[in-house]
Every structure is written in C-alpha cells, then in structure tokens.
C-alpha cells in the first residue's frame, strides 16, 4: 500500500501546480549560484517532507488505535469506499465544507508564507516548505486517509513521507523552469486522477477484506495467528 502514497504524490504534483506552483516559482532562490540554489530548493522540500511526515505520524497514531482495537480491516474498507464515493458522487461531499473550521488556520499559514517569501535568508526555505505542507489539498487528504490505515506512527509518517517524495520531481522543475506543463498534459493528468483514485480505493477495500491474495489482500495477522494456533 505504500506504493499508493508515491502514486498520490506523483499525480498530486500535477494537481498542486495550480496552488503550490506559484509558491515554488516565487521562492527567493539565488539564481546566480547553482550550488546555493540546489541547497535552497532541497531545504524547501525538506520542510514539506517534515510537515507531511508529522501529519502522517499523527494519523498513524490514530491508525494504531484502530489496529489495537481490531478495527484496522474495517477502517481500510471504509477509507476505500470513501475514496470511491468522493469521485463518483462528489456533490455529496461538496455539501459539507470541511475546510470552514480550518479557514482561520489556513489564512494564518498563507500570511506567514507571504512574509517568508519576502525574506532572503537561507533558513527561510525550510520554513516556507514547512508552511506549504499545511495548505489544504484534495490529494493530500487522500494520502492522509492512507496514513490512517497504517498500523503505527512510523508507518503513517513513512506513508506521508513517500507522498511528499512523489511530489518533488515536478515541484523542483517548477522552481527551475517555471510552469512548464502545458494545458494538454495537465488536462490529461487531471482526467486520469479520478480513475487512479478509484483503483486505489478498490485496493484499500481488498486489503480490508483479507482475501489471502499476496501483496493485494493479505490475511489479517490476527487471523493468521489464530489459524496457526489451531494447527497444534
């Protein structure tokens, strides 16, 4: 299931060009010194990876609680169903604006980002990336769902870390050459995103069903343990 995190990241980077692309393009990098520029961009990405990992850590903690009480398989099915419903019946989810309670926090993040973008210090790039990671994004939410189905804080953190890694190639290209993705490519990717999300949702459901299919729907650990006890 960690592969789904990278896929979300790769697809999400196309989606995020619209929101995060301008931020990446406006980074106050030193364009005269390529070495300095590389480390500044790397610092920016490390800030984003830190935020995503922190979010994954927190949701991994929740996932561990579900796992402890034996609800991990059911949670995986619920997450898969929600992913599919979000694509098939988006109007149902649009009725509920989940971002309203977070609007104040988002406005503070955007305000802090604006201040940091006007600075020139090398330490500001990590901060920009850190704040950037908190901006709301639909595919980030999907990745958070994935982190929630993990069984530990470290697994959740690693899941979101992989999601962040998947966004790095395209976001780096934006910094170096600007908004290079033409409308045709972006349109094709946007059209593919719903299908990929549905496929990943199905994989989450299969994982939760525990059908004994290697790598796709493995037998739950508790069931396997009980089965081995019965053989004695």
């Amino acid at each position: 299931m960690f592969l789904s995190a990278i896929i979300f990241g790769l697809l999400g980077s196309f989606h995020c060009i619209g929101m995060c692309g301008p931020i990446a393009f406006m980074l106050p990098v030193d364009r005269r010194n390529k070495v300095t520029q590389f480390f500044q961009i790397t610092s920016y990405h490390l800030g984003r990876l830190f935020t995503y990992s922190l979010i994954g850590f927190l949701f991994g903690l929740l996932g561990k609680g579900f796992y402890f009480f034996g609800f991990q398989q059911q949670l995986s099915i619920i997450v898969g169903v929600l992913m599919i419903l979000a694509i098939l019946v988006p109007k149902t989810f649009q009725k509920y604006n989940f971002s309203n309670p977070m609007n104040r926090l988002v406005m503070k993040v955007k305000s802090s980002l604006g201040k940091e973008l006007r600075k020139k210090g090398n330490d500001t790039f990590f901060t920009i990336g850190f704040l950037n990671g908190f901006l709301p994004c639909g595919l980030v939410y999907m990745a958070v769902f994935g982190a929630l189905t993990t069984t530990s804080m470290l697994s959740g953190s690693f899941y979101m870390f992989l999601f962040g890694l998947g966004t790095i190639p395209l976001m780096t290209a934006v910094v170096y050459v600007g908004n290079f993705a033409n409308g045709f490519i972006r349109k094709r990717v946007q059209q593919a995103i719903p299908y990929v999300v549905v496929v990943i949702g199905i994989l989450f459901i299969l994982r939760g069903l525990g059908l004994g299919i290697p790598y796709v729907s493995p037998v739950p650990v508790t069931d396997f343990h009980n089965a081995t006890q019965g053989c004695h």
Side-chain angles (χ1 to χ4, degrees), residues 51-111:
T51 300
Y52 292 144
S53 298
L54 178 61
I55 293 173
F57 184 89
L58 296 175
F59 279 89
L61 178 61
L62 288 175
K64 182 180 181 180
F66 285 113
Y67 178 73
F68 179 79
F69 289 104
F71 294 129
Q72 195 65 28
Q73 300 298 120
Q74 295 90 328
L75 178 64
S76 184
I77 295 173
I78 292 171
V79 166
V81 170
L82 287 176
M83 284 184 178
I84 295 172
L85 289 177
I87 299 300
L88 298 182
V89 285
K91 292 183 178 180
T92 302
F93 289 82
Q94 290 171 0
K95 292 179 181 178
Y96 307 97
N97 191 344
F98 299 104
S99 63
N100 276 339
M102 300 176 60
N103 277 344
R104 290 185 180 180
L105 176 61
V106 171
M107 291 304 297
K108 288 182 179 180
V109 170
K110 289 183 177 180
S111 177

Side-chain angles (χ1 to χ4, degrees), residues 94-184:
Q94 290 171 0
K95 292 179 181 178
Y96 307 97
N97 191 344
F98 299 104
S99 63
N100 276 339
M102 300 176 60
N103 277 344
R104 290 185 180 180
L105 176 61
V106 171
M107 291 304 297
K108 288 182 179 180
V109 170
K110 289 183 177 180
S111 177
S112 299
L113 265 173
K115 293 177 182 177
E116 292 295 328
L117 285 169
R118 290 191 289 269
K119 295 181 180 179
K120 299 294 183 180
N122 288 329
D123 60 332
T124 193
F125 293 93
F126 183 89
T127 304
I128 293 173
F130 175 78
L131 294 171
N132 194 166
F134 285 109
L135 291 178
C137 171
L139 285 176
V140 171
Y141 298 154
M142 293 293 180
V144 166
F145 275 151
L148 188 60
T149 64
T150 59
T151 58
S152 69
M153 293 86 78
L154 291 179
S155 295
S157 182
F158 184 59
Y159 190 96
M160 291 301 294
F161 177 82
L162 290 177
F163 167 80
L165 280 182
T167 68
I168 286 179
L170 192 58
M171 295 301 293
T172 301
V174 170
V175 179
Y176 278 110
V177 297
N179 192 358
F180 66 95
N182 61 44
F184 177 80

Side-chain angles (χ1 to χ4, degrees), residues 8-44:
F8 276 137
L10 290 171
L11 293 176
S13 58
F14 279 93
H15 176 76
C16 291
I17 286 178
M19 176 178 290
C20 302
I23 295 173
F25 187 61
M26 291 171 58
L27 287 176
V29 295
D30 186 351
R31 300 190 181 276
R32 296 170 298 179
N33 189 320
K34 296 300 181 182
V35 175
T36 302
Q37 183 182 26
F38 171 80
F39 283 107
Q40 289 171 337
I41 295 173
T42 300
S43 180
Y44 163 71

Side-chain angles (χ1 to χ4, degrees), residues 173-227:
V174 170
V175 179
Y176 278 110
V177 297
N179 192 358
F180 66 95
N182 61 44
F184 177 80
I185 295 176
R186 203 187 296 183
K187 182 180 179 180
R188 290 298 183 187
V189 173
Q190 292 286 357
Q191 290 174 340
I193 287 176
Y195 296 100
V196 175
V197 172
V198 169
V199 170
I200 292 177
I202 293 173
L203 289 175
F204 273 105
I205 293 173
L206 289 175
R207 177 193 176 200
L209 293 174
L211 301 176
I213 304 173
Y215 305 109
V216 176
S217 184
V219 175
V221 176
T222 53
D223 292 350
F224 179 77
H225 178 68
N226 292 335

